[in-house]
Amino acid sequence: MDTRKGSIRILMFPWLAHGHISPFLELAKSLAKRNFVTYICSSPVNLNSISKNLSSKDSISVKFVELQIPATPELPPHYHTTNGLPPHLMSNLKRALDMARPAFSTLLQTLKPDLVLYDFLQPWAPEEAESQNIPAMVFLCAGAAAGSFFMYDWLKPRSGYPFPAIYFREHELCRLVEFGSDTNGAGRVLNCVKRSCDVVLIKTFRELEGQYIDFVSDLIGKRCVPVGPLVQEVGCDMENEGNDIIEWLDRKDRRSTVFASFGSEYFLSANEIKEIAHGLELSGLNFIWVLRFHRGDEKIKIEEKLPEGFLERVEGRGRVVEEWAPQRRILSHPSVGGFLSHCGWSSVMEGVYSAVPIIAVPMHLDQPLNARLVAAVGFGEEVVRSREGNLDRGEVARVLKKVVVGKSGEGLRRRVEELSEKMREEGEKEIDSVAEELMVTLVRRRERSNLKSENSMKKLNVMITENRGGMLAENT
Ligand SMILES: C[C@@H]1O[C@H](OP(=O)(O)OP(=O)(O)OC[C@H]2O[C@@H](n3ccc(=O)[nH]c3=O)[C@H](O)[C@@H]2O)[C@H](O)[C@H](O)[C@H]1O
């Protein structure tokens, strides 16, 4: 039962990844301040992983709804997330989500939301919504620069159409095939975009990617509406996470320490571990390194994966963290002066939000394009691999020192501080415009469909007045 009478009700349906369900949750929390009630549907394991980021106040207007995904021997329920998933099971997970289509349809019949917000890998979600006369809109959790490259590559516009000013290096192209070739990743994304009604929401902000937002809008023939960075606040819910790491950072000088992390679903190869370990050691800098392995590798002893004697040699200035680290909290610590990152999009947004320059070591998917953007906009530098795509410890150490303690690092820091300020200014305004887009979409739908009866339009107008009233009240 809605706790707010007359609120506009949204069902959100993110892909089964931590780097996706978090932005959807942050968007739901922001819309709750604008009088929307949101139901986030995902697998139990995913909802459980974000439950600590939902305060009791948020949970008045943000509800979790479990989507039962059929379990199979190779994909038991605790594998219904990309967080820690053995990489060879990623395609199985996409197919398992497809098998949840009937359960999703039932959810729609039960909840009867006013609108559905879905993600980039489930093109059947808007079909199910439309079959029940519910408008559906896609929310892309990656960046617009990466989106402009992929959309250009997949849509192949007429010759002479301007090419996006972002590119892959030769050795990175072969890793593109990973993008679900056997589950037609490109086709899924394209259909999700094509079936989105009216606009496409995208997790970015104009100061950072304005030219790419306009490029994608023109290319796909739909307006791309930036929703802002959606970075999770470092709030009371995270206060107790990783206290020992925070206390360790408290004992380090301001901006003296590198935070190294590679996201929730990428697991470094043996060679990458070796070169990054030696690079961190050679840099002479303090560091916190999140070195995680996928669930299938539970019995791993971390010292067996690191160079001989590495932990002893860096004792006191470096720490290797095997478990899930409070990334937002660490990045906001004054002792952190550089972020060695794979450039997953949420990590890039969080680096900017905390005004920490990025040492980019992209791995796959959109990350190389995000890394090009980081360097082009001037808030970080990329560790360039060899032509064969190998990392080199000397190059890792060189870029680390240049960004964290070098003269040119000051320019990067100034730029990321500027961006961070702009990001915070724009954030609230962008959520207001998203709220308006959602309401306009509803009005258009009611006017076009058989719901344009006097009574239904009157009810909708009351809801919208309430929402706008709610937004004003929240903002005063
Ligand atoms: C959109 C897509 O998300 C994917 O997710 P992935 O988890 O790899 O990376 P992030 O987007 O940085 O998302 C990772 C998220 O997990 C959080 N985190 C991670 C590790 C940890 O120990 N502690 C944490 O709090 C981190 O703060 C961030 O919010 C792909 O990369 C893809 O390239 C990217 O564009």
Side-chain angles (χ1 to χ4, degrees), residues 17-20 22 141-142 261-266 290 292 323-328 342-348 350 364-367 370:
H18 190 87
H20 287 242
S22 298
C141 298
S261 178
F262 298 89
S264 64
E265 58 185 57
Y266 185 81
V290 181
R292 298 171 64 242
E323 67 280 358
W324 185 259
Q327 176 162 307
R328 278 285 303 111
H342 70 322
C343 295
W345 191 243
S346 294
S347 291
V348 170
E350 290 163 14
H364 63 164
L365 303 176
D366 57 330
Q367 294 150 26
N370 300 340

